[in-house]
Amino acid sequence: MNYLTEKHKQLSESQQSGLMKWFGQLPMDKKAVAIGLSLTVGISSAAMAWKGESSDRIYFCVRTPQSYLKCNDKNNRPFRMTLYYWEQWQLEGMPRQVVRDPAMGVNGLVKATNPYKPFLAFGGFLGFALAGWMLRHCQSEEKQRAVFEDIAQKRDAAKAEMAARSELLESYRDVAIAEVQLQADLDLVANDRTVDIQKAEIYAHTEIEVTQMEATDAIFEAQTAGMTEEQKADYIKQLREMKTPYLQGSQTLAGTIDPNDKVTGSEATAIAPGDKYRWIKNTIGYPTLIFGGMGAGKSWTTREIIWHKRQAGWNQIFVLDPHGTAVEWRGVNLITGYREIADFMQWYMGEMRRRYKAYRESGMVEEQWTQHLRDTNQHFCVVAEEFTTWTDNIVEPMPDDCEDEKWKPDPDFIGKWFRCAMTESRKQLMIPLFVAHDRTMEILAKAKGLSKLRDAALLEVELIATIDPITTEAKASGQGKIKLPGHGQWIDIELPKLDHKRIDFRLDKPVNSNEPPTIDKATLERIYELEFNLGNKAGDTQDEPKKLSPMAQKLYEYLTRTERIEADVREFKGNFKVNGERFSVEQIKGWMYEIVGASLADWIGEGVIKLNQI
């Protein structure tokens, strides 16, 4: 054995007996014989120790009062003990009723049949222990030998692998050299062929140019046949001054670019705009999806569709724009902020259920019920702007009759609303208009598995963007495609040509983007408070406090009664009601503006005021 240090050798030899040192020097066959002899001694000694008894025994009986001898216990085992304990019992005073069993041995004494039993048992143990010790010694040596055998095998395998790789590399080297030589020969041949082809092309091109020149001369001679030299000079000058040879007569370059100019001369006619944009009428009564990439014109086209809806008699337009401003949505009901949109969505589904219940109880047919909704001005349109972002920001609001600790928002709240608006809205004249970046169900409310329902229920309009060659930015191309519900065919359409973004949807006061929007006094005061008078209260700029409206006064009394110092409209909206009636966030914000304007509170955040201490 190889020792690491002298101390290692000393410790190992101190733990090893002379017998094992002698045993370790024996060859393997003699080791096997020694182990076999030790096992034989152990097995023989154990077998002999197993039989017979190692001590003398006295069998006895107990005499009963009836002079009956009882020699067995209740389990029918004979009474017996060793001779030593019998003699001890006699010395200590054995009862007279105890007598030896005359039926056993000599007067109850049975001699030992195997007096050397303990020695035989020890011999068996010694034989087995010695055999195990020798086997453990052999196992340790075999384990050490196995390590060297494994190293030797790995060495031989590594040598064989290296030899195989060397042979393979040599073969690959020969192949690579042959490939390089072949490629070089092919390149030389290809270069020669390329030179020949280029020469042929040059010859052919030269031949063609010569032929064209001859043909041009022939044509010119034919065109100027019979002209004098002065007339030929004037004709050549006229050709040189022409901007393009493709304009004829009264045509201009702008006329050829204009797609409406399809004929020559002054007889050009344009297609009527009503014929081009007839597809917009289909979007008025159908649930519609408008989608397209960045810069495709979704916002402008959506506003134009809303304007056509207003002109068609849809007086109520609800625009759900998370980031919209009232300045750009005049004449419609703007609902901005994700929390406010979630409240409207909850109301929308409740209103849908209410209308269907009223329809079932009305006794009307579908046409009569629809006309009833129109006559009572209950038809409205819902515009879902930036619908792509809703699923990441909108959470189902808690109903008023639910406890806080028991409330768990439905993760499919937007998907349910989308399916409700897409499939159930048309009969109840609650028509939605969705605006998104794509038509995949992953983007549309993450409503996977509803692509067939989308194709059957939605009128889809795709807007196509184009890339500006100068700025390399996406912009509207003026073209798009439309697909009617239940049809698989996409039809090319032309978008309305707009010169400004429509921001006013009032039929009596249309405003274009070039005119500055009017700002009422209340808006000016809020702008002043938020931007110029942040360090002072509203009362510092007013001569006398404003008088609150009845509803603003009720809101102020509610806030003071509940001992609120900071009031967030999103927190107390569900608890504030008057005569059982609840109010929207926009209504409550309007009354909060009155409270701030009366110097009773200050704005400290979006929808949050801090009441002044009295």
Side-chain angles (χ1 to χ4, degrees):
M1 179 178 178
N2 295 327
Y3 298 100
L4 299 177
T5 61
E6 188 66 27
K7 183 66 175 178
H8 182 203
K9 178 179 180 181
Q10 181 180 354
L11 289 174
S12 299
E13 291 179 352
S14 66
Q15 297 296 325
Q16 190 176 19
S17 65
L19 178 62
M20 284 298 104
K21 186 180 294 186
W22 169 80
F23 179 78
Q25 297 174 355
L26 295 177
M28 189 61 194
D29 53 351
K30 293 184 178 180
K31 289 181 180 179
V33 172
I35 293 172
L37 290 175
S38 180
L39 287 175
T40 302
V41 171
I43 294 173
S44 302
S45 300
M48 290 187 292
W50 186 265
K51 297 180 179 180
E53 301 292 339
S54 61
S55 60
D56 297 340
R57 290 160 296 157
I58 298 294
Y59 287 83
F60 60 92
C61 300
V62 179
R63 189 182 302 275
T64 62
Q66 294 82 12
S67 299
Y68 173 73
L69 294 178
K70 184 177 182 181
C71 301
N72 298 313
D73 58 10
K74 59 182 180 179
N75 293 324
N76 201 26
R77 291 177 298 185
F79 296 134
R80 62 180 180 176
M81 64 175 59
T82 62
L83 181 59
Y84 172 79
Y85 286 106
W86 176 265
E87 292 176 351
Q88 289 293 327
W89 196 8
Q90 285 181 339
L91 293 175
E92 293 174 358
M94 181 185 300
R96 291 182 299 172
Q97 290 82 0
V98 178
V99 296
R100 294 192 181 195
D101 187 0
M104 298 298 294
V106 179
N107 194 17
L109 175 63
V110 177
K111 291 290 186 178
T113 58
N114 191 3
Y116 303 105
K117 188 172 185 178
F119 301 102
L120 294 174
F122 177 75
F125 167 76
L126 189 61
F128 284 118
L130 187 59
W133 196 2
M134 290 187 290
L135 284 173
R136 182 70 180 87
H137 188 274
C138 291
Q139 182 183 9
S140 178
E141 291 186 344
E142 181 62 25
K143 184 177 180 181
Q144 296 176 14
R145 189 187 65 84
V147 174
F148 292 105
E149 289 289 338
D150 184 60
I151 294 174
Q153 291 179 1
K154 291 181 179 180
R155 180 201 59 192
D156 296 340
K159 288 182 177 180
E161 183 177 0
M162 291 178 63
R165 285 187 178 184
S166 177
E167 184 178 355
L168 182 62
L169 288 173
E170 191 68 25
S171 301
Y172 177 77
R173 175 177 172 276
D174 297 339
V175 173
I177 292 173
E179 288 181 352
V180 171
Q181 292 175 350
L182 178 60
Q183 186 64 37
D185 295 341
L186 291 176
D187 291 341
L188 291 174
V189 175
N191 185 54
D192 294 341
R193 296 295 180 269
T194 302
V195 172
D196 295 340
I197 293 173
Q198 288 178 349
K199 289 180 180 179
E201 289 178 350
I202 293 173
Y203 294 151
H205 184 69
T206 303
E207 193 72 23
I208 292 172
E209 288 184 348
V210 172
T211 304
Q212 288 178 345
M213 293 175 61
E214 293 176 353
T216 302
D217 293 340
I219 293 173
F220 181 78
E221 292 296 333
Q223 290 176 342
T224 59
M227 293 184 180
T228 64
E229 294 297 329
E230 294 181 356
Q231 291 174 336
K232 288 183 179 181
D234 293 338
Y235 179 68
I236 294 173
K237 182 179 180 181
Q238 179 184 359
L239 292 177
R240 290 175 177 176
E241 291 178 352
M242 289 177 64
K243 295 181 179 178
T244 170
Y246 301 103
L247 300 180
Q248 300 179 0
S250 62
Q251 280 189 320
T252 62
L253 184 60
T256 61
I257 298 175
D258 186 1
N260 296 326
D261 183 14
K262 300 301 179 183
V263 296
T264 61
S266 61
E267 299 178 356
T269 59
I271 300 175
D275 296 333
K276 292 182 187 178
Y277 314 133
R278 187 181 302 169
W279 60 270
I280 297 181
K281 297 180 180 179
N282 294 328
T283 65
I284 296 176
Y286 279 105
T288 304
L289 168 64
I290 297 179
F291 67 96
M294 297 290 292
K298 297 187 295 297
S299 180
W300 285 36
T301 305
T302 299
R303 293 168 180 267
E304 195 66 19
I305 293 175
I306 295 174
W307 177 245
H308 281 76
K309 285 179 178 285
R310 290 302 307 271
Q311 292 179 324
W314 292 73
N315 298 324
Q316 298 189 72
I317 306 292
F318 293 92
V319 176
L320 312 182
D321 189 349
H323 309 297
T325 60
V327 177
E328 291 195 349
W329 291 104
R330 296 175 177 270
V332 298
N333 300 308
L334 174 63
I335 299 176
T336 182
Y338 290 114
R339 175 61 184 271
E340 291 76 7
I341 292 175
D343 292 335
F344 178 86
M345 293 164 62
Q346 194 175 60
W347 172 86
Y348 181 92
M349 289 190 286
E351 177 67 12
M352 185 75 72
R353 291 189 292 267
R354 186 194 67 78
R355 290 194 181 190
Y356 270 105
K357 180 180 179 181
Y359 168 55
R360 290 191 298 268
E361 297 173 353
S362 65
M364 302 180 186
V365 297
E366 182 177 339
E367 291 77 9
Q368 293 174 331
W369 175 255
T370 304
Q371 188 59 40
H372 163 70
L373 294 177
R374 292 183 183 275
D375 295 340
T376 55
N377 197 29
Q378 296 187 56
H379 59 296
F380 63 85
C381 172
V382 179
V383 181
E385 267 283 2
E386 300 184 21
F387 191 61
T388 308
T389 64
W390 286 21
T391 52
D392 297 325
N393 297 280
I394 292 181
V395 180
E396 180 185 13
M398 183 180 69
D400 298 333
D401 56 351
C402 182
E403 299 180 8
D404 294 350
E405 60 273 8
K406 295 182 179 180
W407 171 244
K408 292 183 180 180
D410 187 355
D412 192 34
F413 172 67
I414 298 179
K416 289 181 179 178
W417 182 83
F418 177 64
R419 290 188 287 271
C420 173
M422 182 172 54
T423 59
E424 302 178 359
S425 60
R426 194 180 179 199
K427 291 183 179 180
Q428 301 302 330
L429 296 184
M430 301 165 65
I431 308 300
L433 175 61
F434 304 101
V435 183
H437 288 85
D438 202 351
R439 66 188 297 265
T440 61
M441 302 313 296
E442 176 65 23
I443 288 181
L444 299 178
K446 294 189 182 343
K448 296 181 180 180
L450 298 180
S451 57
K452 292 185 179 179
L453 180 61
R454 173 204 59 200
D455 297 340
L458 283 181
L459 184 147
E460 301 181 61
V461 179
E462 180 183 6
L463 307 184
I464 301 173
T466 185
I467 304 299
D468 191 306
I470 299 177
T471 64
T472 67
E473 295 181 355
K475 65 178 183 177
S477 65
Q479 304 296 321
K481 296 181 180 181
I482 188 172
K483 184 180 75 66
L484 298 177
H487 295 270
Q489 181 181 3
W490 289 86
I491 303 172
D492 294 333
I493 59 173
E494 184 176 342
L495 305 182
K497 295 182 178 179
L498 306 174
D499 56 358
H500 68 274
K501 181 180 180 181
R502 189 178 298 278
I503 62 174
D504 199 326
F505 301 91
R506 294 174 291 183
L507 296 176
D508 53 343
K509 292 183 179 180
V511 179
N512 59 39
S513 61
N514 296 323
E515 298 178 1
T518 59
I519 304 178
D520 55 15
K521 183 179 180 181
T523 303
L524 287 172
E525 291 178 353
R526 292 197 297 269
I527 293 175
Y528 177 77
E529 290 296 328
L530 293 175
E531 296 190 8
F532 303 103
N533 197 33
L534 296 177
N536 302 317
K537 297 183 180 179
D540 297 340
T541 61
Q542 298 178 351
D543 296 334
E544 59 183 14
K546 295 182 179 179
K547 185 178 180 180
L548 297 178
S549 64
M551 291 305 301
Q553 183 65 33
K554 291 183 181 294
L555 175 60
Y556 180 71
E557 292 174 356
Y558 165 77
L559 296 177
T560 55
R561 185 174 63 253
T562 55
E563 299 181 354
R564 295 177 182 267
I565 298 178
E566 295 182 0
D568 190 339
V569 64
R570 291 165 292 188
E571 294 180 357
F572 67 82
K573 169 186 172 294
N575 299 324
F576 175 65
K577 54 186 177 180
V578 178
N579 298 327
E581 181 183 1
R582 300 183 186 275
F583 308 97
S584 67
V585 173
E586 294 301 322
Q587 290 176 307
I588 298 177
K589 280 186 177 180
W591 300 326
M592 293 170 70
Y593 276 116
E594 291 188 39
I595 295 174
V596 174
S599 302
L600 298 175
D602 295 321
W603 291 106
I604 60 174
E606 178 64 26
V608 185
I609 61 175
K610 181 178 181 181
L611 299 179
N612 296 330
Q613 301 296 326
I614 299 176

